[in-house]
Amino acid sequence: MSEYIVEMRGVTKRFPGIVANDNVSIAIKKGEIYALLGENGAGKSTLMSMLFGLYEPDEGEIYVRGEKVTLESPAAAAKLGIGMVHQHFRLISNYTIAQNIVLGIEPKKRLLGFLPTLDIKKANRDIAELSRRYGLEVDPTQKIEDVGVSVQQRVEILKMLYREAEILIFDEPTAMLTPQEIEFLLKIILELRAGGKTIILITHKLEEIKQVADRCAVLARGKLIGVIDAATTSTREMANMMVGREVETEIEKKPANFGREILKVEGLTVKNDDGLEVVQDVGFSVRAGEIFAVAGVSGNGQIELADAVAGLAKTSGGRIFLDGEEITHASVRDRILRGMSYIPEDRQNVGLVLDFDLAENLALKSYFKEPFCRKGFLNKSAFEEHGNRLIEEYDIRSGQGIHTQVRSMSGGNQQKAIIAREIELESKLMIFVQPTRGLDIGAIENIRRQILAERDAGRAVLLISLELDEIMALADTIGVIYRGKLLKTAPAAELTSRKAGEYMMGVSA
Amino acid sequence: MKKKSGSGFRRAVLAVFGDERRQSITIPVFAVVLSLLASAVMLLALGKDPINAFLGMLRGCGIIPKANYAARTGMLTDFMSFLNVLAPMIFAALAVAVASKTGLFNIGISGQMLFAGFIATVVVGYSDLPAAAALPLVIIIGIVAGALIGGIIGFLKYKFNINEVVSSIMLNYIIQYVVSFFINMYYVDPVSRQSMYISDASRLTVTGVEIFGMKADLPLAMLLVPPAIIFAKVLFDRTKIGYEMKSVGLSRNAARYAGMSVGKNMVLSMLVSGALAGLAGVAYYLGYFNSIQPGVLTSVGFDSIAVSILGNYNPLGIFFSSFLITIVSKGSTYMSSSAAIPQEIASIITGLILVVSACTFFIRTKLARMSERELESRRAAEAAETPRPAVPAADDDSKGGER
Amino acid sequence: METFISDGLSFALPLFVIAIGGIYSERSGITNLALEGMLGMGAFVGALAVVLFTNGAFAGEFYLAMLFALLGGALFAVIHAVLCINFRANQVISGVVINILATALAAFLAKLINSAVFGQNSNKFQLSTAPTLGAIFPGISGVPVLGRMYVFVPIILVVALAAWFVLYKTRFGMHLRACGDNPHAVDAAGGNVARTRFIAVIASGALSGIGGICFAYYIAANFSPSIFMGYGYLSIAALIFGNWRVMPTLAACLLFGFARSGGYAVAKILELPSTFSNLIMTLPYIVTLLLLVFFSKSNRAPRALGEIYDKGKR
């Protein structure tokens, strides 16, 4: 019997254009918390997806409890006691919590003695019992679409426990949680280990590794860099290992120099498709040279707030002013022309037309103006010149220059393209929503610097981010949003991240 | 798949289809060849000679000569008649392409054609206007009537979020029955059971012109084909409206984000699409024919979908694919009578071409993966000057379909 | 009044069973515009079985036709399933393409078989009329509505009940609906998305086949290519009003059925000439459009409908 519960030997996985994992070998002991550290695209998720049976390795072998296994499906992995909480939850929104948990291994009963049917009552009882046993309280009869992110995550964990999984994989589990929720989750993870479970934690947050992990494998560009002991290695060493160079952790921030009020929002209310008020009576203002950051847990109305300011979501109450003029009912185009730039959360589906080339995308907000368009006809050379200039100035890298289809570009360069386009509009107000999500450290640094540069150039910046670190690093003023309401607005200096976290959970002191 | 022959096969496939820029031509050609092969097999199974059948189609269209002709007719007669069906097909396929640019599927072409044809017939065809006034009027009425129906579909989509496929099918049936009602009530020719013939002056065909001793019907609508193709090409590639329409079609969210009006663009593209369909309608009912058969929709409207997909929604591509599909549909009549093969086989060939065309995306990704793997194994082969065996490529072959 | 009710039901229920087929396919995440082709090919195979295996005097003719229509529809649905699931074609285009192919195939094969087997130049298969309840249970032949009700009305109701049960009360149904909302969840839970969707599309073909043969018997008492009257699209409209749920869809189908039979009843009372039947025929379509105007906005289609499922994508 091997001392390792999971071993991956010489695993290689290729996707069109990239080698996601290159000859990676790791070995995990039973009952330990094993962290996988690496930047986005380092190959952590791919490696674990192979252990979970979503992909099969092109080369290499996987051993579970000392035996060589082929995992051709998640079902095969589940049989071996492997469970995974994905970064993007895999839940059926219109099913109840209990239905989601039992999906695939539903308890059955015979109706009228012969008709096989689902025994949903038994499922509800079982789930209630299970959730009590592990201290993960949920109401089995609630629908997924009616509960928040942290409850959804509990459901994912319960799904694994219901299947009696022994090896639990968590993919970036803390990305969407408040500090308090993170603390709770880490506690649960430690308890699970105490209960004999083996835990694999995929993350890029060094503090979490320090807090709970026993050992940590560092991946970069698909390769295994090394395996370290979490207790004896400093976070700084880990970071350097992950990035492959010295990391600057602090960005320099000049003192603020506020000008006149650029954006003013009064009593703003937004309803979603179901008629629920997702933004309620929100009011704030952003001055020139100020970064106003909205902090909050995902799904508390911050996206709708940004969309309403940009004109993409209908408001059902309140007023919006841009540089003193009311724009509550102005069209999107009108707002852009009056001076509003918007870096949206969903860069692929909203910020870009993926099947257009780079030149066309870089002109997405100015194609109708001279010199791009004269009397309704397009001037291709204007598109090309403009594209080439931006590629040069903003260091946007792509395979075939301006003629590259944006779909084929990396996430970082896609975001660079959007930011370049939006900065070029020279707007009075810039809205950034989750500007660094999913990017690697180098790109994150770069974008944060750009945001600060825009503020120093005298623009008003509205920043919406789920990462409290980012908000703490950049904001001049912080507004915390909870269930659509702005619970607290304060200068950044007056708010600790701990305090902000409390407001994010709705604790108003 | 065997490993050795697998990679040889792969190299051969890539040699033909590997060039990505040429794929917009090679893949449709592949679709056509495959469907023709399939129909050849079908014909063989029926005990018919497929070569003869295909030649029969070409003969029927005046592209190659028949064995003999009736007095004062010839290849030119057939070819002109072929052009007369070709013109509406091209307009109809362009109509499909315009709608598809904004991501809409205009399956109501047939209904729009019938409506335009009927209105033009009633307003101009039964008047005694001279040709100089009647012909432009026929064209204008056709365009306006078609645009009206297309616009309704676009408006319903924009205003009420009604799936355009469902609404255009509903309108197809409504138009079909209503037109049928009016023809049977007021305009029926008791002998032919069709609508009464229109005046010669209003017909988009000059009949019985003698050229080189052969009598032919000159298709005037064909004169509008080059302008229509250029119009579509310029619209898609060179105009602000085209850029907006494509944005809306490729990503509705991004278009809205960029400040474009998604609704306006959808209505606009359906207006233009309907207008082209209307043009197809008058070219068909007041050009190729001179009366309307009540109670049926022409298959041109549906075949044009095949034509458009086959032509990759590209105006020039559409010209060539129209040519091809029209040979099949028009030539089938002669093929049927000369080789005793049921005429319906034509629609089956069209159907087969459509089915293969529907898999274009799959073929493309499959090819992309193939060339990826070819590159890899070549790299591996280069690296394997050392005796280490290359990566077995056949393994992922079997799984390619799942992803 | 009696004709009004029985005509309404005879039209509404075949439509309903086809719409249930559509619900199966679409709740599993596969857009299905191919219902039209499936119902036609189902009817074709059913009618073909009748003309090949019976000589017009077989009492169980209708049931034989129904069985073969079910099989024929299911078999034809394989094309849609393969195109959408294995070949990842655009589902809307696949549906339309299949309808065009079905129209061509039915016309071609009907003609071919008629001339090869029976030596006739025709594209029709003659059927008898569908049996009524009164004919089967002579005891109730005098009962209004019930006595003259076609036997397929109660059969479809039973099929519908079974389909409803499977969709909402069984594991398979739960997986099917889950596939239409978040296929990744099904995959992660150990389900097989492709297989579930494949079965759903086949089921939609089988149910459409049943509906198709009922229309063939009820509308014309024969099979001919004119079976392609847009009933498939009507049932899609019905399931859209029904918000992809079985019971509201039944209500929509009944509305179409009674709009049509009501139109005929009014025409009869007003003694309109027969040419007006053309106008009455438009009623279900006009009602559809009007209803869509009022209901489309509030509708919520299955979340994953029409999306090509890609295991690797997150």
Side-chain angles (χ1 to χ4, degrees), chain B residues 30-57:
Chain B
F30 170 71
V32 171
V33 171
L34 198 70
S35 330
L36 289 182
L37 279 179
S39 10
V41 170
M42 202 160 61
L43 286 164
L44 280 174
L46 294 173
K48 310 284 181 189
D49 173 7
I51 305 289
N52 193 31
F54 295 146
L55 289 180
M57 289 181 188

mmCIF file of all heavy atoms in Angstrom, chain B residues 30-57:
data_model
loop_
_atom_site.group_PDB
_atom_site.id
_atom_site.type_symbol
_atom_site.label_atom_id
_atom_site.label_comp_id
_atom_site.label_asym_id
_atom_site.label_seq_id
_atom_site.Cartn_x
_atom_site.Cartn_y
_atom_site.Cartn_z
ATOM 1 N N PHE B 30 -16.919 20.545 -50.893
ATOM 2 C CA PHE B 30 -16.958 19.220 -50.286
ATOM 3 C C PHE B 30 -18.400 18.793 -50.009
ATOM 4 O O PHE B 30 -18.808 17.659 -50.306
ATOM 5 C CB PHE B 30 -16.155 19.261 -48.980
ATOM 6 C CG PHE B 30 -16.294 18.045 -48.116
ATOM 7 C CD1 PHE B 30 -15.713 16.845 -48.497
ATOM 8 C CD2 PHE B 30 -17.004 18.104 -46.929
ATOM 9 C CE1 PHE B 30 -15.830 15.721 -47.692
ATOM 10 C CE2 PHE B 30 -17.130 16.980 -46.128
ATOM 11 C CZ PHE B 30 -16.544 15.797 -46.503
ATOM 12 N N ALA B 31 -19.204 19.725 -49.472
ATOM 13 C CA ALA B 31 -20.607 19.430 -49.179
ATOM 14 C C ALA B 31 -21.339 19.019 -50.443
ATOM 15 O O ALA B 31 -22.108 18.045 -50.466
ATOM 16 C CB ALA B 31 -21.285 20.645 -48.545
ATOM 17 N N VAL B 32 -21.081 19.761 -51.510
ATOM 18 C CA VAL B 32 -21.770 19.478 -52.771
ATOM 19 C C VAL B 32 -21.352 18.114 -53.311
ATOM 20 O O VAL B 32 -22.194 17.278 -53.677
ATOM 21 C CB VAL B 32 -21.464 20.582 -53.803
ATOM 22 C CG1 VAL B 32 -21.985 20.192 -55.170
ATOM 23 C CG2 VAL B 32 -22.063 21.894 -53.357
ATOM 24 N N VAL B 33 -20.036 17.882 -53.329
ATOM 25 C CA VAL B 33 -19.549 16.617 -53.876
ATOM 26 C C VAL B 33 -20.106 15.441 -53.081
ATOM 27 O O VAL B 33 -20.604 14.463 -53.640
ATOM 28 C CB VAL B 33 -17.997 16.593 -53.876
ATOM 29 C CG1 VAL B 33 -17.477 15.209 -54.229
ATOM 30 C CG2 VAL B 33 -17.465 17.622 -54.858
ATOM 31 N N LEU B 34 -20.072 15.582 -51.763
ATOM 32 C CA LEU B 34 -20.578 14.507 -50.916
ATOM 33 C C LEU B 34 -22.053 14.226 -51.195
ATOM 34 O O LEU B 34 -22.472 13.071 -51.327
ATOM 35 C CB LEU B 34 -20.384 14.898 -49.446
ATOM 36 C CG LEU B 34 -20.455 13.759 -48.444
ATOM 37 C CD1 LEU B 34 -19.228 12.868 -48.597
ATOM 38 C CD2 LEU B 34 -20.524 14.301 -47.026
ATOM 39 N N SER B 35 -22.843 15.292 -51.334
ATOM 40 C CA SER B 35 -24.278 15.093 -51.581
ATOM 41 C C SER B 35 -24.514 14.497 -52.951
ATOM 42 O O SER B 35 -25.401 13.656 -53.124
ATOM 43 C CB SER B 35 -25.034 16.412 -51.475
ATOM 44 O OG SER B 35 -24.408 17.251 -50.577
ATOM 45 N N LEU B 36 -23.711 14.933 -53.932
ATOM 46 C CA LEU B 36 -23.885 14.367 -55.270
ATOM 47 C C LEU B 36 -23.531 12.881 -55.249
ATOM 48 O O LEU B 36 -24.220 12.071 -55.870
ATOM 49 C CB LEU B 36 -23.023 15.118 -56.291
ATOM 50 C CG LEU B 36 -23.498 16.535 -56.626
ATOM 51 C CD1 LEU B 36 -22.607 17.167 -57.685
ATOM 52 C CD2 LEU B 36 -24.951 16.537 -57.101
ATOM 53 N N LEU B 37 -22.480 12.549 -54.522
ATOM 54 C CA LEU B 37 -22.107 11.135 -54.400
ATOM 55 C C LEU B 37 -23.248 10.337 -53.768
ATOM 56 O O LEU B 37 -23.627 9.271 -54.254
ATOM 57 C CB LEU B 37 -20.843 10.988 -53.554
ATOM 58 C CG LEU B 37 -19.524 11.243 -54.288
ATOM 59 C CD1 LEU B 37 -18.342 11.097 -53.337
ATOM 60 C CD2 LEU B 37 -19.388 10.283 -55.462
ATOM 61 N N ALA B 38 -23.797 10.909 -52.679
ATOM 62 C CA ALA B 38 -24.893 10.214 -52.009
ATOM 63 C C ALA B 38 -26.079 10.028 -52.948
ATOM 64 O O ALA B 38 -26.690 8.950 -52.989
ATOM 65 C CB ALA B 38 -25.316 10.990 -50.766
ATOM 66 N N SER B 39 -26.379 11.066 -53.725
ATOM 67 C CA SER B 39 -27.527 10.910 -54.634
ATOM 68 C C SER B 39 -27.193 9.941 -55.758
ATOM 69 O O SER B 39 -28.089 9.237 -56.248
ATOM 70 C CB SER B 39 -27.994 12.252 -55.193
ATOM 71 O OG SER B 39 -27.101 13.267 -54.904
ATOM 72 N N ALA B 40 -25.909 9.897 -56.144
ATOM 73 C CA ALA B 40 -25.513 8.933 -57.170
ATOM 74 C C ALA B 40 -25.755 7.521 -56.665
ATOM 75 O O ALA B 40 -26.297 6.662 -57.392
ATOM 76 C CB ALA B 40 -24.049 9.133 -57.537
ATOM 77 N N VAL B 41 -25.397 7.290 -55.423
ATOM 78 C CA VAL B 41 -25.630 5.964 -54.833
ATOM 79 C C VAL B 41 -27.119 5.652 -54.836
ATOM 80 O O VAL B 41 -27.563 4.554 -55.205
ATOM 81 C CB VAL B 41 -25.069 5.926 -53.397
ATOM 82 C CG1 VAL B 41 -25.516 4.658 -52.676
ATOM 83 C CG2 VAL B 41 -23.562 6.029 -53.420
ATOM 84 N N MET B 42 -27.913 6.665 -54.471
ATOM 85 C CA MET B 42 -29.357 6.468 -54.435
ATOM 86 C C MET B 42 -29.893 6.123 -55.824
ATOM 87 O O MET B 42 -30.713 5.216 -55.985
ATOM 88 C CB MET B 42 -29.996 7.755 -53.915
ATOM 89 C CG MET B 42 -31.358 7.576 -53.337
ATOM 90 S SD MET B 42 -31.734 8.969 -52.254
ATOM 91 C CE MET B 42 -31.669 10.326 -53.375
ATOM 92 N N LEU B 43 -29.389 6.870 -56.820
ATOM 93 C CA LEU B 43 -29.847 6.614 -58.196
ATOM 94 C C LEU B 43 -29.443 5.207 -58.642
ATOM 95 O O LEU B 43 -30.241 4.501 -59.280
ATOM 96 C CB LEU B 43 -29.250 7.650 -59.155
ATOM 97 C CG LEU B 43 -29.884 9.034 -59.052
ATOM 98 C CD1 LEU B 43 -29.020 10.082 -59.726
ATOM 99 C CD2 LEU B 43 -31.280 9.020 -59.667
ATOM 100 N N LEU B 44 -28.232 4.818 -58.303
ATOM 101 C CA LEU B 44 -27.788 3.468 -58.651
ATOM 102 C C LEU B 44 -28.701 2.426 -58.014
ATOM 103 O O LEU B 44 -29.075 1.444 -58.651
ATOM 104 C CB LEU B 44 -26.342 3.251 -58.185
ATOM 105 C CG LEU B 44 -25.268 3.850 -59.098
ATOM 106 C CD1 LEU B 44 -23.893 3.702 -58.466
ATOM 107 C CD2 LEU B 44 -25.313 3.196 -60.474
ATOM 108 N N ALA B 45 -29.055 2.684 -56.768
ATOM 109 C CA ALA B 45 -29.937 1.748 -56.077
ATOM 110 C C ALA B 45 -31.287 1.645 -56.773
ATOM 111 O O ALA B 45 -31.947 0.610 -56.728
ATOM 112 C CB ALA B 45 -30.119 2.192 -54.627
ATOM 113 N N LEU B 46 -31.705 2.742 -57.421
ATOM 114 C CA LEU B 46 -32.975 2.717 -58.154
ATOM 115 C C LEU B 46 -32.792 2.128 -59.540
ATOM 116 O O LEU B 46 -33.733 2.059 -60.334
ATOM 117 C CB LEU B 46 -33.533 4.139 -58.299
ATOM 118 C CG LEU B 46 -33.968 4.823 -57.008
ATOM 119 C CD1 LEU B 46 -34.338 6.270 -57.285
ATOM 120 C CD2 LEU B 46 -35.140 4.086 -56.403
ATOM 121 N N GLY B 47 -31.549 1.755 -59.862
ATOM 122 C CA GLY B 47 -31.283 1.185 -61.179
ATOM 123 C C GLY B 47 -31.165 2.235 -62.267
ATOM 124 O O GLY B 47 -31.381 1.946 -63.444
ATOM 125 N N LYS B 48 -30.854 3.470 -61.895
ATOM 126 C CA LYS B 48 -30.698 4.529 -62.911
ATOM 127 C C LYS B 48 -29.223 4.893 -63.039
ATOM 128 O O LYS B 48 -28.439 4.699 -62.100
ATOM 129 C CB LYS B 48 -31.468 5.785 -62.486
ATOM 130 C CG LYS B 48 -32.894 5.537 -62.074
ATOM 131 C CD LYS B 48 -33.810 5.297 -63.250
ATOM 132 C CE LYS B 48 -35.243 5.076 -62.763
ATOM 133 N NZ LYS B 48 -36.130 4.625 -63.839
ATOM 134 N N ASP B 49 -28.909 5.445 -64.169
ATOM 135 C CA ASP B 49 -27.530 5.852 -64.417
ATOM 136 C C ASP B 49 -27.315 7.261 -63.880
ATOM 137 O O ASP B 49 -27.892 8.218 -64.403
ATOM 138 C CB ASP B 49 -27.264 5.795 -65.940
ATOM 139 C CG ASP B 49 -25.889 6.364 -66.290
ATOM 140 O OD1 ASP B 49 -25.117 6.668 -65.356
ATOM 141 O OD2 ASP B 49 -25.613 6.496 -67.490
ATOM 142 N N PRO B 50 -26.515 7.419 -62.823
ATOM 143 C CA PRO B 50 -26.376 8.752 -62.213
ATOM 144 C C PRO B 50 -25.738 9.783 -63.143
ATOM 145 O O PRO B 50 -26.169 10.935 -63.171
ATOM 146 C CB PRO B 50 -25.499 8.509 -60.983
ATOM 147 C CG PRO B 50 -24.903 7.167 -61.142
ATOM 148 C CD PRO B 50 -25.770 6.388 -62.079
ATOM 149 N N ILE B 51 -24.728 9.363 -63.913
ATOM 150 C CA ILE B 51 -24.067 10.308 -64.814
ATOM 151 C C ILE B 51 -25.090 10.888 -65.781
ATOM 152 O O ILE B 51 -25.193 12.103 -65.978
ATOM 153 C CB ILE B 51 -22.946 9.611 -65.614
ATOM 154 C CG1 ILE B 51 -21.950 8.929 -64.673
ATOM 155 C CG2 ILE B 51 -22.252 10.608 -66.535
ATOM 156 C CD1 ILE B 51 -21.072 9.868 -63.892
ATOM 157 N N ASN B 52 -25.864 10.009 -66.348
ATOM 158 C CA ASN B 52 -26.891 10.440 -67.278
ATOM 159 C C ASN B 52 -27.871 11.399 -66.607
ATOM 160 O O ASN B 52 -28.301 12.398 -67.195
ATOM 161 C CB ASN B 52 -27.619 9.205 -67.821
ATOM 162 C CG ASN B 52 -28.473 9.546 -69.020
ATOM 163 O OD1 ASN B 52 -28.134 10.462 -69.776
ATOM 164 N ND2 ASN B 52 -29.578 8.840 -69.179
ATOM 165 N N ALA B 53 -28.193 11.100 -65.348
ATOM 166 C CA ALA B 53 -29.126 11.962 -64.619
ATOM 167 C C ALA B 53 -28.544 13.361 -64.439
ATOM 168 O O ALA B 53 -29.211 14.363 -64.712
ATOM 169 C CB ALA B 53 -29.434 11.350 -63.253
ATOM 170 N N PHE B 54 -27.271 13.417 -64.015
ATOM 171 C CA PHE B 54 -26.658 14.727 -63.794
ATOM 172 C C PHE B 54 -26.509 15.481 -65.115
ATOM 173 O O PHE B 54 -26.755 16.688 -65.176
ATOM 174 C CB PHE B 54 -25.297 14.575 -63.103
ATOM 175 C CG PHE B 54 -25.400 14.016 -61.714
ATOM 176 C CD1 PHE B 54 -24.413 13.188 -61.196
ATOM 177 C CD2 PHE B 54 -26.492 14.319 -60.904
ATOM 178 C CE1 PHE B 54 -24.516 12.664 -59.912
ATOM 179 C CE2 PHE B 54 -26.605 13.797 -59.629
ATOM 180 C CZ PHE B 54 -25.612 12.964 -59.133
ATOM 181 N N LEU B 55 -26.131 14.764 -66.163
ATOM 182 C CA LEU B 55 -26.029 15.419 -67.470
ATOM 183 C C LEU B 55 -27.402 15.932 -67.891
ATOM 184 O O LEU B 55 -27.528 17.007 -68.470
ATOM 185 C CB LEU B 55 -25.472 14.447 -68.513
ATOM 186 C CG LEU B 55 -23.980 14.105 -68.344
ATOM 187 C CD1 LEU B 55 -23.539 13.139 -69.442
ATOM 188 C CD2 LEU B 55 -23.122 15.363 -68.379
ATOM 189 N N GLY B 56 -28.435 15.145 -67.574
ATOM 190 C CA GLY B 56 -29.800 15.558 -67.903
ATOM 191 C C GLY B 56 -30.141 16.894 -67.276
ATOM 192 O O GLY B 56 -30.773 17.763 -67.885
ATOM 193 N N MET B 57 -29.687 17.097 -66.046
ATOM 194 C CA MET B 57 -29.933 18.377 -65.378
ATOM 195 C C MET B 57 -29.258 19.513 -66.134
ATOM 196 O O MET B 57 -29.866 20.557 -66.375
ATOM 197 C CB MET B 57 -29.372 18.337 -63.956
ATOM 198 C CG MET B 57 -30.154 17.459 -63.012
ATOM 199 S SD MET B 57 -29.392 17.535 -61.386
ATOM 200 C CE MET B 57 -30.329 16.274 -60.550
#
